[in-house]
Amino acid sequence: MAQTGPNSAQNQPAPSTLLPAVNGWQTDFVESLYAQYKADPTSVTPEWLNFFRGFELGLALEATPATAGATTQPPPSPEVAAAAATAQTSGAAAAATAQPRSSPEGAPAGATAQSSGAPAGATAQTSGAAAGATAHQRRVDDLIHRYRAFGHLAAQLDPLGTTRPFPEQLTLEAVGLDDGALGQAFDPGTLPLDNPSPLGDIIACLESTYCGSMGVEYAHIGAADRRAWLAKRLEAARNSPRFSGDTKRRILGKLLEADSFESFLANRYVGKKRFGLEGGESLIPILDQILESGPALGVQEFMLGMAHRGRLNVLANIVGKNLQQIFTEFDEAWTEAFATGGGDVKYHMGYSNEHTTSTGQKLRVVLAANPSHLEFVNSVVLGRCRGKQRLVGDTERKMVVPVIVHGDSAFPGQGIVAECFNMMHLDGYTVGGAIHVVVNNQVGFTTNPRDTFCGSYCTDLAKAYDCPVIHVNGDDAEACAWAAKIAIEWRQAFGHDIVVEMWCYRKNGHNETDEPMFTQPVLYGRVKKARPAFKTYRAQLVSEGVVSDAEVDAMLAARTAVMDEAQSAAKKQPIDPVIDPFKNVWSGLTGQYSHEPVVTKVPLDTLESLARKLGELPGHTTVHKTIARILEGRAGAIATGTIDWALGELLAYATLLSEGHPIRLSGQDVERGTFSHRHAVVNCQETNEGYCQLNNLGDAQARFCVHNSPLTESAVLGFEYGYSLGDPRMLVIWEAQFGDFANGAQVIIDQFLASGEAKWKRSTGLAMFLPHGYEGQGPEHSSARLERFLQLCAHDNMQVVYPTTSAQMFHLIRKQVKQGFRKPLVVMTPKSMLRLPAAASRVEGFTDGHFRAVLPDPAIAREVAEGVTKVLFCSGKIFHELHAQREKSGQDTTAIVRLEQLFPFPDAAINKVISTYPNAKRFVWVQEEPRNMGAYRFAQAQLKELCSIDVGYIGRPDSASPAVGSAKQHAIEQDKILTEAIGAAKAGDGPAGGPSNKDGKQEKPAHK
Ligand SMILES: Cc1ncc(C[n+]2csc(CCOP(=O)(O)OP(=O)(O)O)c2C)c(N)n1
Ligand SMILES: [Mg+2]
């Protein structure tokens, strides 16, 4: 072992379990490929062939015998080969790996030789001594590169003092050097040292940069300029920036606030859950330094998302939530929302405030409300950011910046973290990068890290997305502050995510009433002895003469007095802990639902001109012949007097846009539409260029933002929910591919959409379009689980609808923006009904009328209504089938009443319709879903409770699965329902079991 310096192996305690090396898999891969190449050079791809040839050329040069002191050259270390290969495999990175020595990147010797392309003959001409010096220099270059790539493995990250074995990659032996070289002078490349400098100084510089309280992973990043940026940023200051006295006092002040806040709560609210930050207090200076750096880098607003741990501390000391409000919550002295089953625990609440930096600059800081469900808020924060960015015209995405705080267990465990990383640079979802701070307190509830993630670090996932990862020791407050500064600078420079992982510990149990000694006795033995970061930093600054003990005591006393006063004030005068959400962009809107009709009709000439525009294409576009027909149909539709579903939907958008309401439609394949009905974007058959008629309606129109989404339900729905919070005047719609897939986003539905308003007073007008309907497509393509949404309904929290005509859909979409309140809108949307003539509406339905929650039977004229003895209630597509069956059966004593809206339950409208059938004796709910699904149970209870109507049931029997797999069996079941509800069709009337078109043929959803 020939390494000196603070991290040398001699100084290490007995090694603990060796963690798998970073990039271990790549090493194996490269090694196996190298073996393959040795056995048969033609068996690897030309790129790899060149790479290994170059590598061997480099090795041959290294092995020049004139090298004084060199014994045998060690074989290429797998890590070096892997690091070089990683860069080699991405085009831009290949060049980066093969940097010349003067590059801040350094480069493995082999790769350098390869890149120089120097012919062997040229080398042979150099003198033996020069070749020896060159070879030595290459080894030093290699060592510099290794520190940049693997130095983090030797960093001192754990405040509890756990050390990791000194990485073999950083020993002198590994690069073919020994102690004899330490005194020799070498070119240090771009390191901030004299040229030449003794190797000992070069190593000391590298160790202080890469192996101190901060370890940085960035060798995996593909882009050379980004790696160079980081190398420069880290090395110029040796990763130990000289903070001014003011900054040091600021950092200390923030630590003091963090520390004293938890102590105050611990003393005044003994045993109350607060998920304290003790052990991780440096989170506060980290966030504060991000805020401090923001204005100079163009930031106007930070959007924060975080879970339970330290949240109250962040609310108090970063977001600036009024302490009186926080203590009111601790005293549970404000109960307004509890009466309606609302409110949330204090460590889930959001807040927003104006923040003033130490230099007097103003920023907006928002902390999103958060359910207990870890990490789901991330997508919400991103969407909200995007909404805000659009509102403030932040086209470069530098003014509104997301900061997301994670736990060490949740980050690698919850899949939505990866889903959000994946959206980083997607056109419809990018926010220009997020800053992630992982509070690694080395435990998750009672679970140890080894049971939580399987890589080297809990943050390994981020490397797959080319993010730098800064690991920092939470006990070194200045290193934490430095990490924060680098993070915000990186984000503003590259618009790319970055992760700061702060190693710390959790002073108490998972919460204040938990006993950690049950499960982590050894760890907690060490935790008990740990000295708080505040005390450590205080001592440091006192010894540096930056502050005196007396000054710190005075700061502490002043802070305690502030908290004391706030607590007394809260006891005397509790204040509403939640700020009024209907301010700023939300002003003028409410959260109060109303059944009042909303004016959504549109004049005929407007419809005509917009329909024409929807049929237009620029002259140079070569259009597919089917699309050409569709466009023709759009242009001439109004003249036919009928508007089908697709055009009804497009006209709803077009009218809103031309009235100045922006719209965002996102979901899988929404541009074309899963069922090929929408064609909101038409692609040129030659260039593939897309044309969106909805964005070419006229100069004054608002924008139609339509985005085919990545294949996730959770992150995208969360994103759209967040977007709807950020911009309540934009109509935001998420469409599921099939409604069946929406339950992939169940957490977002349950925790945010359905209950967010009750818990956090946050309204949303997000619309969800969920294709639903029984059409013989099997159990996974039939049901949007209507019953689930209905089960979530209470206190007018959302609108659940199942419209049956194009005019109803038109009014519904327009109403969602035009109405003065914001409530989620859950729509069961059609598949076969898209093309069903009976679902198309007359033009008058658009130029007149409004959305109607209940539709009376259109076939029962007023004068025969008295003859009705049986009323069928239903919702959605089955209406058209029942109606067709009745036509075929020829009977007229049964009325079919449609509940187009299921919630808020339209009891008054139902009573009104029913009063027109005075002789009705039998009431039946008819549905195509199984009895334990669909709207039956909900509707039955509501009809009984609110309308005093007892309904019978006709539909599929209880079932564990939503639908059968066989289309034939489906048709038999469907026919049975119709026969039972209406009576048998007269002979020769064709098949039942699905809506029929004009020719009596059964409609098929055009799902491609
Ligand atoms: C989705 C989800 N599953 C389970 C839980 C229960 N839970 C709450 S905190 C926690 C541990 C979190 O550990 P970590 O991410 O390390 O954060 P820490 O509490 O240590 O700060 C668990 C499992 C939860 N809140 N959310
Ligand atoms: Mg943890």
Side-chain angles (χ1 to χ4, degrees), residues 601 807-808 810-811 841-850:
K601 63 187 180 184
Q808 281 282 83
F810 172 84
H811 291 300
S841 303
R842 301 287 306 160
V843 173
E844 301 79 64
F846 295 73
T847 55
D848 212 349
H850 52 81

Side-chain angles (χ1 to χ4, degrees), residues 262 265-266 272-276 278 312 330 347 508 512:
E262 298 297 348
L265 293 179
K272 279 219 172 178
K273 265 200 220 177
R274 62 188 151 85
F275 295 101
E278 293 103 321
L312 291 170
F330 268 97
Y347 40 81
N508 303 311
E512 289 61 34

Side-chain angles (χ1 to χ4, degrees), residues 275 308-309 372-376 406-411 414 439 441-445 506 510:
F275 295 101
H308 53 286
R309 177 79 51 219
S372 188
H373 294 56
L374 296 166
E375 303 290 352
F376 285 86
H406 312 260
D408 55 305
S409 289
F411 186 86
Q414 294 292 316
V439 177
N441 55 17
Q442 311 190 50
V443 64
F445 210 143
R506 192 186 69 192
H510 176 59

Side-chain angles (χ1 to χ4, degrees), residues 398-513:
K398 289 189 174 181
M399 285 148 64
V400 187
V401 176
V403 179
I404 303 174
V405 182
H406 312 260
D408 55 305
S409 289
F411 186 86
Q414 294 292 316
I416 196 162
V417 177
E419 293 179 26
C420 287
F421 272 120
N422 183 50
M423 299 201 295
M424 193 192 309
H425 293 304
L426 300 182
D427 194 35
Y429 306 87
T430 180
V431 294
I435 299 171
H436 302 267
V437 182
V438 179
V439 177
N440 178 2
N441 55 17
Q442 311 190 50
V443 64
F445 210 143
T446 66
T447 302
N448 291 314
R450 66 166 179 271
D451 296 320
T452 300
F453 61 94
C454 66
S456 298
Y457 296 102
C458 64
T459 50
D460 281 352
L461 167 72
K463 291 199 290 176
Y465 296 90
D466 262 9
C467 303
V469 183
I470 304 179
H471 308 281
V472 63
N473 188 324
D475 254 10
D476 186 338
E478 286 187 13
C480 288
W482 175 232
K485 281 188 176 298
I486 295 173
I488 177 71
E489 284 173 22
W490 161 276
R491 191 275 177 197
Q492 294 302 81
F494 299 111
H496 198 95
D497 290 26
I498 181 165
V499 178
V500 174
E501 186 211 10
M502 181 185 74
W503 286 42
C504 56
Y505 55 91
R506 192 186 69 192
K507 181 77 187 157
N508 303 311
H510 176 59
N511 62 56
E512 289 61 34
T513 57

